[in-house]
């Protein structure tokens, strides 16, 4: 399997031989990946496969140890981000929803949380207030506006975190394990929200190991294993390839010894289980 | 389960129970304070801005006052405000009066016997002499500390934290200071919750009491783990801020401009502060 499709198009992100090393180990090892405008891409892999690191590199929160990453043809390097204009322009276009909502909600109320990004981008106060109200209402969380983060449930926190990014109206949305820790109803709501964000110009990159939600979240999957990209194809094709999923540690042999006839089969990993 | 219920249900003096009880108490105190701030009382109806200025004026008046009767009147006034704002006397007693009495009393105790003046009593056994001047100074400073602390606690208890931060910002406190207070409060609660979970998970896997050495090891391990978690979280928070355009300078929402009805409490407090200063 190769190619994410649409190779004739100009890519939005272009990763070439990206390596990233933490103190102890390689998190990414020579990742080459084009991401196209309007694409819905899922980065799939077991825990520690490098998904979150890759998302952080896409958001220019980390920079490759070697290799290169380009966004709309421009190299993303620490030097480029020393320039305020470039940094603001990039941050306006790319939004990142973190896996840990508690890390993302650091303001005293949900309203101020959603306003934070717009204020840092120095939008006029009246515009900020208007857009924050609109973002909260569109996610149906207007009633949470003045509530502090520690008074929100897990699902509410995730929605506020999403609103705090969607309010910036980014062209690219990066989501790190968006459904992790959410109850089924909240998961469905989240998928509906993302469906409502469908726009040919909007790109969504989701890191997940929840294979059950894959077809709802993406039209292309990139499978990572120990920092390497081992496949890229539509979700249905990936899900059918049991050998690939087993190799990527996304499914495992599951044994039922109490059944009348003991047998084993492949089971899906859900939420790291 | 409340911390009181927890303490009564579990073995007294147990190391984990003791720590867990304290942590739960901390979380409960936050909840109680928020519940009081959210009720409709006299002080809750005032704007946070005018409350901050009024409190500062009253504290300044209390600190500058040399009249013990005037300070007692101020303390009585604070109590009336507390009752009108649905703050229970018991809560004030525990949060403020008791601890101020202990700490200020301990610091000021030597002044009772070390200040020269006419002798009014003699401490049995040791034979130290309590002087009238020493007693006056002791009482004056203790009353000042009690009254100041009561006004400040009333401000905190009757104002929701986000509104207090907004008011600080409206009063031109630098944005970076407001942001620092905001994130500190937010993550203190988060660390409290994390600590509770850590102690609960430890308790669920333990049978029997811990030896003092094991208690020390557990405490050190907990502190180390929390420190690690804090460092990781702060890194994550910084990334989340950067991701939304933070470049080292904080921009916050502008607050509404002051209106005339906010001035009345300030004028009343100014008059009270002047009365405290001028009273003999």
């Amino acid at each position: 399997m190769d190619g994410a499709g649409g190779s004739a198009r100009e890519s939005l992100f272009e990763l070439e031989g990206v390596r990233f090393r933490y103190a102890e180990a390689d998190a990414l090892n020579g990742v080459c990946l084009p991401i196209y405008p309007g694409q819905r891409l899922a980065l799939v892999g077991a825990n520690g496969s490098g998904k979150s690191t890759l998302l952080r590199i896409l958001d220019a929160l980390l920079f490759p140890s070697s290799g290169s990453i380009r966004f709309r043809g421009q190299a993303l390097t620490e030097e480029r981000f020393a320039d305020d204009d470039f940094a603001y322009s990039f941050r306006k276009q790319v939004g990142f929803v973190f896996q840990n909502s508690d890390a993302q909600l650091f303001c005293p109320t949900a309203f101020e949380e959603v306003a934070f990004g717009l204020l840092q981008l120095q939008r006029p106060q009246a515009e900020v207030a208007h857009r924050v109200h609109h973002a909260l209402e569109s996610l149906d969380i207007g009633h949470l506006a003045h509530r502090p983060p520690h008074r929100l449930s897990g699902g509410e926190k995730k929605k506020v975190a999403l609103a705090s990014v969607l309010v910036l109206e980014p062209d690219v949305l990066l989501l790190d394990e968006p459904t992790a820790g959410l109850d089924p109803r909240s998961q469905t709501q989240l998928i509906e929200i993302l469906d409502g964000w469908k726009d040919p110009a909007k790109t969504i990159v989701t890191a997940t190991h929840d294979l059950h939600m894959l077809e709802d979240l993406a039209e292309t999957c990139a499978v990572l294993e120990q920092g390497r990209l081992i496949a890229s194809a539509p979700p249905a094709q990936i899900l059918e390839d049991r050998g690939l999923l087993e190799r990527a540690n996304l499914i495992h042999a599951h044994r039922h010894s109490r059944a009348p006839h003991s047998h084993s089969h492949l089971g899906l990993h859900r939420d790291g289980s | 389960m409340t911390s009181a219920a927890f303490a009564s249900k579990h073995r007294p003096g147990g190391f984990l129970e003791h720590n867990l009880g304290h942590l739960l108490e901390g979380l409960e105190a936050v909840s109680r304070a928020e519940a009081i701030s959210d009720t409709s009382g006299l002080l809750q109806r005032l704007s946070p801005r005018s409350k901050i200025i009024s409190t500062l004026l009253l504290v300044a008046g209390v600190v500058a006052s040399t009249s013990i009767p005037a300070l007692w009147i101020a303390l009585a006034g604070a109590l009336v405000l507390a009752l009108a704002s649905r703050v229970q006397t018991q809560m004030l007693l525990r949060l403020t009066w008791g601890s101020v009495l202990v700490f200020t009393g301990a610091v000021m105790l030597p002044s009772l016997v070390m200040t020269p003046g006419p002798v009014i009593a003699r401490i049995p056994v040791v034979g130290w002499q309590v002087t009238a001047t020493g007693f006056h100074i002791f009482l004056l400073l203790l009353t000042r500390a009690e009254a100041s602390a009561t006004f400040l606690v009333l401000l905190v208890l009757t104002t929701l934290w986000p509104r207090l931060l907004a008011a600080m910002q409206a009063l031109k406190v630098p944005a970076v200071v407001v942001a620092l207070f905001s994130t500190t409060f937010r993550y203190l609660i988060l660390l409290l919750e994390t600590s509770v979970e850590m102690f609960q998970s430890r308790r669920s896997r333990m049978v029997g009491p811990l030896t003092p050495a094991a208690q020390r090891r557990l405490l050190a391990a907990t502190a180390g783990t929390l420190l690690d978690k804090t460092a990781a979280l702060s890194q994550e928070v910084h990334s989340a801020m950067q991701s939304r355009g933070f470049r080292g300078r904080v921009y916050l929402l502008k607050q509404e401009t002051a209106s005339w009805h906010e001035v009345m409490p300030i004028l009343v407090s100014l008059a009270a502060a002047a009365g405290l200063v001028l009273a003999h």
Side-chain angles (χ1 to χ4, degrees), chain B residues 40 49 74 97 151 156 162 174:
Chain B
S40 69
R49 265 185 298 218
W97 299 335
F151 284 124
V156 174

Side-chain angles (χ1 to χ4, degrees), chain A residues 42-165:
Chain A
L43 301 173
V44 187
N47 291 335
S49 59
K51 307 184 298 287
S52 296
T53 304
L54 186 51
L55 278 187
R56 278 168 169 72
I57 284 179
L58 290 172
D59 198 34
L61 295 171
L62 297 175
F63 297 95
S65 311
S66 65
S68 68
I69 173 167
R70 302 181 83 80
F71 175 70
R72 295 195 196 279
Q74 291 189 291
L76 298 182
T77 60
E78 280 185 276
E79 293 72 34
R80 292 293 280 129
F81 275 83
D83 173 15
D84 277 353
D85 290 340
F86 180 80
Y88 283 134
S89 160
F90 180 81
R91 298 291 174 217
K92 270 184 215 168
Q93 296 177 73
V94 182
F96 187 0
V97 180
F98 285 67
Q99 179 179 1
N100 178 5
S101 304
D102 278 323
Q104 192 155 357
L105 307 184
F106 44 80
C107 291
T109 63
F111 190 93
E112 285 164 87
E113 192 61 61
V114 178
F116 181 86
L118 290 170
L119 291 168
Q120 306 322 300
L121 299 175
Q122 296 168 52
R123 304 308 307 155
Q125 293 274 331
E127 181 192 328
V128 171
H130 174 74
R131 282 172 66 173
V132 172
H133 278 299
H134 178 73
L136 290 170
E137 290 306 330
S138 65
L139 294 188
D140 207 17
I141 48 171
H143 60 290
L144 304 177
H146 301 293
R147 206 178 282 183
H150 61 272
R151 292 276 169 261
L152 300 175
S153 69
E156 289 169 341
K157 278 183 191 173
K158 191 65 91 180
K159 281 186 188 173
V160 173
L162 192 59
S164 72
V165 172

Side-chain angles (χ1 to χ4, degrees), chain A residues 56 59 61 81-84 87-88 91 94 96 98 100 102-109 111-113 115-117 119-122 125 128 148-151 157 164-165 168, chain B residues 27 30-32 34 160-163 165-166 169 179 182-183 185-187 189-190 193 233 235-247 249-255:
Chain A
R56 278 168 169 72
D59 198 34
L61 295 171
F81 275 83
D83 173 15
D84 277 353
Y88 283 134
R91 298 291 174 217
V94 182
F96 187 0
F98 285 67
N100 178 5
D102 278 323
Q104 192 155 357
L105 307 184
F106 44 80
C107 291
T109 63
F111 190 93
E112 285 164 87
E113 192 61 61
F116 181 86
L119 291 168
Q120 306 322 300
L121 299 175
Q122 296 168 52
Q125 293 274 331
V128 171
H150 61 272
R151 292 276 169 261
K157 278 183 191 173
S164 72
V165 172
L168 300 172
Chain B
L27 284 173
V30 172
S31 299
R32 270 200 305 272
E34 282 181 350
L160 282 168
W161 182 241
R163 295 191 69 200
L165 290 173
Q169 199 195 334
S182 157
T183 42
F185 180 73
R186 164 88 181 97
Y187 290 104
I189 293 181
L190 201 62
E193 287 169 349
L233 188 63
Q235 188 75 46
E236 188 98 329
V237 170
H238 185 242
S239 293
M241 292 171 87
Q242 271 186 309
S243 173
R244 282 190 279 155
F246 173 69
R247 303 276 295 159
R249 186 178 290 182
V250 186
Y251 299 94
L252 300 174
L253 278 170
K254 283 207 177 82
Q255 302 304 318

Side-chain angles (χ1 to χ4, degrees), chain B residues 169-262:
Chain B
Q169 199 195 334
L171 293 170
K172 306 292 177 205
V173 174
V176 68
V177 176
V178 177
L180 204 64
F181 275 123
S182 157
T183 42
T184 304
F185 180 73
R186 164 88 181 97
Y187 290 104
L188 264 181
I189 293 181
L190 201 62
L191 283 176
L192 259 179
E193 287 169 349
T194 309
S195 310
V196 168
E197 282 170 12
M198 282 170 69
F199 274 105
Q200 280 174 337
S201 96
R202 201 50 91 99
R203 187 160 56 85
S204 73
R205 287 175 282 146
M206 269 181 43
V207 180
L210 284 173
T211 62
Q215 288 181 10
R216 282 195 297 276
R217 271 202 303 278
L218 176 59
L219 201 62
T222 307
T225 309
L226 269 181
L227 200 65
D228 271 355
K229 280 179 187 273
T230 311
L233 188 63
S234 62
Q235 188 75 46
E236 188 98 329
V237 170
H238 185 242
S239 293
M241 292 171 87
Q242 271 186 309
S243 173
R244 282 190 279 155
F246 173 69
R247 303 276 295 159
R249 186 178 290 182
V250 186
Y251 299 94
L252 300 174
L253 278 170
K254 283 207 177 82
Q255 302 304 318
E256 292 164 14
T257 50
S259 59
W260 278 106
H261 72 268
E262 293 181 53

